[in-house]
Amino acid sequence: MERTTLTALLMASSILATAGIAIAQDKTLTIESWRNDDLAIWQEKLIPAFEAKNPGIKVVFAPSAPTEYNAALNAKLDAGSAGDLITCRPFDASLELFNKGQLADLTSLPGMENFSDVAKSAWTTDDGKATFCVPMASVIHGFIYNQDAFDQLGIKPPATEAEFFEMLEKIKADGNYIPMAMGTKDLWEAATMGYQNIGPNYWKGEEGRLALIKGEQKLTDPQWVEPFATLAKWKPYLGDGFEAQSYPDSQNLFTLGRAAIYPAGSWEISVFNTQAQFKMGAFPPPVKQAGDTCYISDHNDIGIGLNAKSANADAAKTFLSWVASPEFATIYANALPGFFSLSSAPVKMEDPLAQEFVSWREKCKPTIRSTYQILSRGTPNLENETWVASANVINGTETPEAAAKKLQEGLDSWYKPAK
């Protein structure tokens, strides 16, 4: 009897030990990120969906404060203490990590075929040979409008520039609304929601952007000067004191119902949904002439890569392939309306405003902000200089031609296109 009990105990302990080994074999992946606002979305939606299909792999989302992320991540990577998965900023910051050997090459990762070259451009080497982060989301530029104001005034979203200015004139003449809520105090707003919003229709999106990088076009060419000239015509419609108006001021003017139109980035959607007490719509940047091809800034914003020194590389690649899947794209885009999947697979979204923005991909050609890849690596920084130029042109303190000339001279002082 005692021997039987002893045998049973030994067998039980052996089974427990085996189970302990199985538990120990579970891989735990840690994600580094600056998106601390997304903690609940990862914990409640994304991670459970992945773990349900991948028993044996656990995932922990461990974000830093956005302003501290770059420095904190660099310190962890240098010390060998960074997580397995690295949330990637677009363009140069992540490219530098790859060039230092800290991000792995993901060019052949299963799932990468779901993304276009434009989608991958923020995380691909200059020569196009290696991609080092899975694209997660982009933001799209356009105009958000107050549907109640439009109905009251009997106006519809414009398709052409002529219709755009006719609409602004009608809103101004009515006097009940500021036609457009945008200020120039913070500078970046004028460039991001102004120049980079409408500009792609002039320089033909990727055609112009890539020609600028190659040195085949200059910022003094008509297609780069004309958007400034159009911005200068916005001045009468921005309301009194727009020169002293900050970005939060512009948001408040619109959500409080005092302005009819807001030159926007799609990241505003979730914020506006909680603040505006009226129905909203959106329209893409108007084309110059009816029938022209339309272009939109569909700007790569966030990706995710593999720490080259991860001890769990295989499990991490399984996770990254899932991030590249349509399932992830659908969950993510609906959890964060206004952050759009970069996947070529169609994503069904529930938010009507987000649906409107993303529908433009079907009729317009996508591009990214012209200053973000390669052209802002030197001093003066073209991105920051474009902020100043856009604000000055709208304020009327600099002509479009003078602004463009100064930008090109600054670029010429350090940038020599590869031959």
Side-chain angles (χ1 to χ4, degrees), residues 85-165:
L85 296 154
I86 310 297
T87 305
C88 301
R89 301 273 198 190
F91 301 100
D92 292 353
S94 294
L95 178 61
E96 187 178 345
L97 298 181
F98 177 72
N99 288 338
K100 285 163 68 177
Q102 293 176 325
L103 285 175
D105 187 340
L106 300 178
T107 309
S108 57
L109 180 84
M112 276 297 195
E113 67 278 4
N114 293 334
F115 302 98
S116 70
D117 288 344
V118 173
K120 292 184 286 191
S121 61
W123 304 285
T124 296
T125 52
D126 292 352
D127 60 12
K129 290 180 179 175
T131 300
F132 43 85
C133 299
V134 177
M136 282 169 62
S138 73
V139 289
I140 296 175
H141 288 289
F143 296 81
I144 297 175
Y145 64 91
N146 180 330
Q147 181 72 63
D148 293 350
F150 273 40
D151 291 346
Q152 185 185 325
L153 295 169
I155 53 180
K156 292 181 179 176
T160 66
E161 272 188 15
E163 291 170 359
F164 179 74
F165 284 102

Side-chain angles (χ1 to χ4, degrees), residues 367-385:
T367 185
I368 56 178
R369 293 176 204 154
S370 61
T371 53
Y372 265 62
Q373 188 181 34
I374 299 171
L375 299 180
S376 290
R377 290 178 188 171
T379 304
N381 179 295
L382 182 60
E383 165 68 2
N384 294 349
E385 293 295 298

Side-chain angles (χ1 to χ4, degrees), residues 115-361:
F115 302 98
S116 70
D117 288 344
V118 173
K120 292 184 286 191
S121 61
W123 304 285
T124 296
T125 52
D126 292 352
D127 60 12
K129 290 180 179 175
T131 300
F132 43 85
C133 299
V134 177
M136 282 169 62
S138 73
V139 289
I140 296 175
H141 288 289
F143 296 81
I144 297 175
Y145 64 91
N146 180 330
Q147 181 72 63
D148 293 350
F150 273 40
D151 291 346
Q152 185 185 325
L153 295 169
I155 53 180
K156 292 181 179 176
T160 66
E161 272 188 15
E163 291 170 359
F164 179 74
F165 284 102
E166 283 170 19
M167 172 193 69
L168 292 175
E169 195 57 44
K170 189 167 185 177
I171 298 167
K172 186 182 179 186
D174 173 74
N176 282 311
Y177 299 93
I178 297 165
M180 275 199 300
M182 194 183 82
T184 55
K185 181 185 178 183
D186 290 342
L187 304 180
W188 73 269
E189 195 180 348
T192 308
M193 270 77 126
Y195 191 70
Q196 296 290 358
N197 189 351
I198 66 170
N201 276 332
Y202 292 85
W203 59 71
K204 298 187 177 178
E206 287 295 275
E207 180 184 315
R209 186 183 76 84
L210 296 174
L212 199 61
I213 291 170
K214 291 174 187 170
E216 294 166 359
Q217 291 184 16
K218 290 189 176 292
L219 292 162
T220 47
D221 291 345
Q223 64 270 35
W224 295 92
V225 178
E226 283 176 25
F228 281 131
T230 300
L231 282 189
K233 290 165 62 180
W234 285 17
K235 183 176 181 177
Y237 307 107
L238 299 180
D240 294 337
F242 73 87
E243 298 92 341
Q245 185 175 306
S246 69
Y247 172 57
D249 293 336
S250 302
Q251 291 175 306
N252 290 335
L253 279 174
F254 181 73
T255 57
L256 291 170
R258 292 177 56 198
I261 301 163
Y262 184 91
S266 58
W267 62 84
E268 308 286 1
I269 292 174
S270 52
V271 178
F272 285 4
N273 280 345
T274 62
Q275 294 178 353
Q277 300 299 307
F278 48 83
K279 186 181 176 187
M280 293 177 285
F283 59 87
V287 293
K288 289 203 293 181
Q289 305 291 334
D292 285 356
T293 300
C294 59
Y295 297 83
I296 53 168
S297 175
D298 190 351
H299 189 73
N300 302 350
D301 194 61
I302 187 169
I304 188 165
L306 170 61
N307 181 349
K309 293 183 179 173
S310 168
N312 304 306
D314 288 344
K317 285 180 180 177
T318 298
F319 180 80
L320 289 169
S321 284
W322 180 72
V323 172
S325 73
E327 181 188 13
F328 174 89
T330 300
I331 298 171
Y332 191 82
N334 280 294
L336 281 167
F339 287 85
F340 300 109
S341 167
L342 284 161
S343 172
S344 302
V347 174
K348 186 168 174 51
M349 284 179 295
E350 292 150 18
D351 183 271
L353 207 49
Q355 284 176 347
E356 176 59 37
F357 269 89
V358 87
S359 73
W360 305 338
R361 286 176 172 173

